[in-house]
Every structure is written in C-alpha cells, then in structure tokens.
Amino acid sequence: MTETDTTAHVDWRHWQATWDRQQEWYLPDREERFTVMLDAVEALVGPEPKVLDLACGTGSVSDRLLRRFPKATATGVDLDPALLTIARGYFAADSRVEFVRADLRDPRWRDALPHREYDAVLTSTALHWLPEDDLRTLYGQIADVVRDGGILLNADHMPDESTPRINEAVNAFQQARREREKAAGAQDWAEWWAAAAADPVLAEPTAERFRIFGNPAEGDHADDQAKPAAWHAEALRAAGFAEARTVWASPTDAMVLALK
Ligand SMILES: C[S@@+](CC[C@H](N)C(=O)[O-])C[C@H]1O[C@@H](n2cnc3c(N)ncnc32)[C@H](O)[C@@H]1O
C-alpha cells in the first residue's frame, strides 16, 4: 500500500477545490444535495453526529459536515490512495476527522473503522460503482454499523427509466451546459486525473490508483449500473432499516434516507 508523506509542502486546498469544481461539472446541484443531506442529519440525529463518510474521496462531505456542525466527528473510508492522500493533507490539522483505507467489496472492510457504531453514514456519488449484489451486501453491512435510531443517506445517480423523453431532453440540456463550461475551461474527470498523475507528490498514489481502478482516460467505472431511488429504498428496508424514502431528487439523481 502506498502512503504518501502528507507533511510535504503541497497546496491541499487547491486539490480539494479542483476536485469539487470537477465534480460540480457533472453535478451542478452538488452543494444543494450536501445541504439537504445535512438538514436530514440535523433533523434525525442532531448537530453533534458521529459520521461515517463512505467512499469519501477527498472528504467533501466531511468538509461540509464539520463546517456546519463544529462538534461533529467523521471517519472517511475509501480505497483510492490518491484521493486519501489529498484528504489526509487537507484535514491534517483537524482532529475531528480521520481517514481509513478499505475496499467496500471486502467483507472485512468494517475492521478498518475506529468505531463500532455511527449515528449517520453519508455517501455521495459513489455506490453506483458497485454491482447490484455487492451493493445489497454493503447495505446489510451499513445497517450493522448504524446505531438504532441512526441513519444512512445516499445521494447518487438514480435514473428513472420510465420517462425516456424527459431523460433525453434533460441529458441534451446538461450536455450542452457541460460543453459551454468546457469551452470556458472546466476540467473533466480524465483531465483532473491527468493533472494528479503529473504532480510530483500525487504521482505515486495516482499510479497505484490507476492500477486498482484503471486509467480514467480509458473509462475506470461504469455509470450504467445505477439503480432507481425506489430500488435503493427497497434494498435498504430488506437490509434491516425500518424506514427508507427519497428526500431529494433531480431528473437524473436522488438522495435516499434510511432510518434504523
Ligand atoms: C465520484 S467519487 C465521490 C467521492 C466523494 N464521495 C465526493 O462526493 O466527492 C467516488 C468514490 O468512490 C470510491 N470507491 C469506488 N469503489 C470503491 C470501493 N470498492 N471501496 C471504497 N471506495 C470506493 C472511489 O475511490 C471514489 O473516491
């Protein structure tokens, strides 16, 4: 496992900010969904939650959480050594958050966690990377780490295939927006990763990341296995949550809240 020296002089804010901009190019309502996510956290488990930021990437969810709730704590878990390097560098001076590396497809991934239970598990734009069977298994494992009365919030691509004409129009609209923003200099997924690979500090963990997931320039994950919000709600109830429902939706994405 590659661990990079996060004390080296690197502008971690730059990498955090460019990650956010790159994600927003795909998800222009990304901050809106974070706000709705944290509203649900406050409503269901209060303003001092112990949070598991699942597939945390650079820790964007933890960042919004700790800004809004100064007494919250977070554990970020991800498999990607490059994104974890940025997360650890960005949060180096913040004792409220820690990061662990684990593969969510590994049945023992919970062994890496510093706590047995959490008030809330939050995850954004990540679980569609997992095949259906792996996600059902993961939902059962998440139910095990959420305390009674605790919650899971999953914001992700959750398409509705029953509205093909609406979907086509929305996709064309978003494609045109992305092309305009690209012409104005927006960085896409593959370009952001190429910049990380060219950075002296990030080059090594990025090379390892490419070995694990593949090179983003050649397609490193499939978006076509994303499931509708109703599928998630049903899978979460089957996994042991008492209630599950959509709390936010756009034409392409949604956020499902499950209460144990
Ligand atoms: C698009 S990023 C989203 C990151 C972050 N949640 C955000 O919203 O900025 C998807 C994340 O899922 C992580 N991921 C994908 N498959 C994973 C797995 N099997 N185990 C752990 N993390 C995984 C990736 O490494 C990546 O950080």
Side-chain angles (χ1 to χ4, degrees):
M1 183 182 303
T2 303
E3 293 293 342
T4 297
D5 177 9
T6 54
T7 60
H9 182 71
V10 179
D11 186 353
W12 300 114
R13 284 177 182 277
H14 163 81
W15 286 105
Q16 188 70 259
T18 60
W19 170 263
D20 283 340
R21 296 297 87 75
Q22 171 258 115
Q23 287 288 291
E24 286 161 2
W25 185 67
Y26 298 95
L27 312 168
D29 44 29
R30 186 166 176 259
E31 288 301 326
E32 180 184 311
R33 62 184 78 188
F34 288 157
T35 300
V36 174
M37 184 177 264
L38 296 182
D39 285 349
V41 167
E42 187 168 356
L44 273 298
V45 295
E48 299 181 19
K50 184 161 68 178
V51 164
L52 179 59
D53 180 356
L54 200 70
C56 61
T58 60
S60 300
V61 169
S62 293
D63 181 58
R64 303 329 183 259
L65 173 86
L66 297 171
R67 285 175 193 275
R68 175 158 164 181
F69 306 124
K71 292 186 175 168
T73 56
T75 304
V77 57
D78 204 288
L79 177 60
D80 187 315
L83 298 181
L84 283 174
T85 296
I86 295 171
R88 289 184 175 126
Y90 180 78
F91 289 98
D94 195 332
S95 61
R96 297 170 299 175
V97 56
E98 63 185 293
F99 293 95
V100 297
R101 186 165 175 217
D103 184 343
L104 296 173
R105 295 162 301 186
D106 180 341
R108 294 158 302 153
W109 68 268
R110 288 164 291 174
D111 295 350
L113 301 178
H115 304 293
R116 169 67 188 86
E117 284 194 324
Y118 288 85
D119 299 314
V121 175
L122 309 181
T123 184
S124 84
T125 335
L127 299 191
H128 71 273
W129 288 40
L130 300 179
E132 178 174 338
D133 288 350
D134 288 351
L135 183 50
R136 279 194 184 274
T137 301
L138 180 64
Y139 274 161
Q141 295 161 344
I142 292 171
D144 179 55
V145 298
V146 171
R147 67 158 167 86
D148 285 343
I151 59 172
L152 163 89
L153 281 148
N154 177 16
D156 203 357
H157 306 314
M158 296 188 189
D160 183 342
E161 303 297 348
S162 72
T163 58
R165 289 165 57 209
I166 293 173
N167 299 352
E168 195 181 336
V170 166
N171 288 340
F173 171 80
Q174 292 295 349
Q175 183 63 28
R177 175 191 60 76
R178 282 195 288 271
E179 282 169 15
R180 278 196 310 276
E181 292 178 4
K182 198 76 192 295
Q187 208 172 30
D188 68 19
W189 177 252
E191 290 165 338
W192 188 89
W193 279 108
D199 180 84
V201 172
L202 292 176
E204 196 182 321
T206 299
E208 191 186 354
R209 189 265 178 215
F210 287 6
R211 284 192 291 276
I212 298 166
F213 288 106
N215 188 327
E218 292 152 16
D220 56 349
H221 68 285
D223 279 350
D224 58 2
Q225 50 194 1
K227 297 283 174 205
W231 181 92
H232 289 273
E234 181 278 319
L236 286 161
R237 283 189 290 266
F241 286 90
E243 299 180 14
R245 57 162 292 173
T246 302
V247 288
W248 175 91
S250 75
T252 54
D253 291 27
M255 186 174 347
V256 172
L257 164 63
L259 170 70
K260 188 168 157 189

